[in-house]
């Protein structure tokens, strides 16, 4: 089992990465592999709504000169996904938004290639805008038909300068609980993945 984290921060190894690593520690302790992609310094173009992905249905975006198709390939190979973003101007960063837009289109074009994977999101925030950013990422996970476990509070860590989130005791505990719940959900899905799902009209579950 493997979880892929995507850090949308412009700052390499900043507070968002610290929060992600706290979740990863728990996952690794449960025998789940982790990988982190950091979008810092990477130019990601926005979706042009060209419709090529719906015509080709080849699990690729028509824009080939950035990292998005590589990210899509890694997402396909992951069992779980964590999106992370700091809050700069009351929402997610432009890089994670552009990635979500393009991955979302390709996913829909290919029978929702992310559906029933485990997904979560986390936010590093100094003051306000955290819920807006978190909701943007969670809404993406839900519309991709992913399974989204919760935690003991909203998945946010409070801090400004690099390392400040380590002083947010509740925020760090929230990340650890998130890791526990993701690991549990992944284990349950692994146990049941080979059981066929059928629901006949009028039957009960």
């Amino acid at each position: 089992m493997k979880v892929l984290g995507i850090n949308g921060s412009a700052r390499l190894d900043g507070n968002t990465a610290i929060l992600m690593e706290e979740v990863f520690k728990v996952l690794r302790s449960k025998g789940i592999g982790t990988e982190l992609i950091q979008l810092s310094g990477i130019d990601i173009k926005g979706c042009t709504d060209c419709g090529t992905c719906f015509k080709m249905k080849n699990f690729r975006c028509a824009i080939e000169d950035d990292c998005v198709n590589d990210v899509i390939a890694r997402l396909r190979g992951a069992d779980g996904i964590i999106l992370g973003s700091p809050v700069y101007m009351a929402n997610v960063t432009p890089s994670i938004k552009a990635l979500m837009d393009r991955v979302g289109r390709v996913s829909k074009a290919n029978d929702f290639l992310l559906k029933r994977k485990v997904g979560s999101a986390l936010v590093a925030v100094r003051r306000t805008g955290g819920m807006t950013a978190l909701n943007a990422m969670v809404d993406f996970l839900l519309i991709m038909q992913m399974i989204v476990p919760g935690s003991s509070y909203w998945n946010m860590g409070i801090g400004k300068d690099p390392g400040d989130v380590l002083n947010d005791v509740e925020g760090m505990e929230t990340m650890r609980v998130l890791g526990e719940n993701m690991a549990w959900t992944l284990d349950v899905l692994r146990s049941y993945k080979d059981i066929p799902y059928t629901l006949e009209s009028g039957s009960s579950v």
Side-chain angles (χ1 to χ4, degrees):
M1 303 289 281
K2 180 181 177 180
V3 171
L4 178 68
I6 301 176
N7 176 11
S9 177
R11 179 183 286 165
L12 192 67
D13 295 325
N15 286 318
T16 309
I18 291 171
L19 295 173
M20 192 84 70
E21 175 59 22
E22 198 67 15
V23 182
F24 278 2
K25 287 177 184 176
V26 177
L27 294 172
R28 290 195 294 265
S29 74
K30 306 292 185 181
I32 298 169
T34 62
E35 179 186 0
L36 178 63
I37 295 175
Q38 302 203 64
L39 302 182
S40 174
I42 300 175
D43 181 27
I44 300 178
K45 297 176 175 62
C47 179
T48 61
D49 195 28
C50 66
T52 302
C53 54
F54 283 88
K55 295 174 184 175
M56 300 300 293
K57 299 185 183 299
N58 60 353
F59 304 98
R60 297 184 68 83
C61 176
I63 301 171
E64 295 279 2
D65 59 350
D66 59 20
C67 70
V68 171
N69 283 320
D70 178 60
V71 172
I72 291 171
R74 297 190 195 191
L75 288 169
R76 290 180 67 195
D79 303 287
I81 298 161
I82 306 175
L83 302 178
S85 178
V87 177
Y88 296 147
M89 291 298 292
N91 212 317
V92 295
T93 61
S95 57
I96 198 76
K97 181 62 170 68
L99 183 74
M100 289 191 298
D101 286 350
R102 286 171 59 196
V103 169
R105 292 288 281 172
V106 173
S107 177
K108 285 186 175 184
N110 292 274
D111 192 30
F112 286 89
L113 63 89
L114 301 180
K115 66 182 176 184
R116 300 186 188 129
K117 292 179 184 287
V118 178
S120 192
L122 57 85
V123 169
V125 59
R126 181 188 72 87
R127 192 172 183 85
T128 59
M131 285 305 302
T132 303
L134 186 62
N135 286 339
M137 292 185 285
V138 170
D139 285 349
F140 167 80
L141 300 171
L142 292 172
I143 202 66
M144 292 298 101
Q145 301 185 37
M146 299 180 71
I147 298 166
V148 183
S151 186
S152 53
Y153 203 67
W154 309 119
N155 302 336
M156 289 185 284
I158 308 301
K160 179 187 176 186
D161 296 324
D164 279 355
V165 291
L166 292 167
N167 299 317
D168 180 5
V169 176
E170 185 176 18
M172 297 301 285
E173 175 63 15
T174 300
M175 299 303 129
R176 289 188 287 270
V177 174
L178 176 61
E180 293 280 351
N181 289 339
M182 284 197 76
W184 183 88
T185 306
L186 285 162
D187 187 58
V188 170
L189 291 176
R190 176 172 53 184
S191 300
Y192 286 91
K193 69 178 181 178
D194 295 326
I195 299 176
Y197 173 79
T198 58
L199 183 60
E200 297 178 0
S201 177
S203 64
S204 60
V205 177

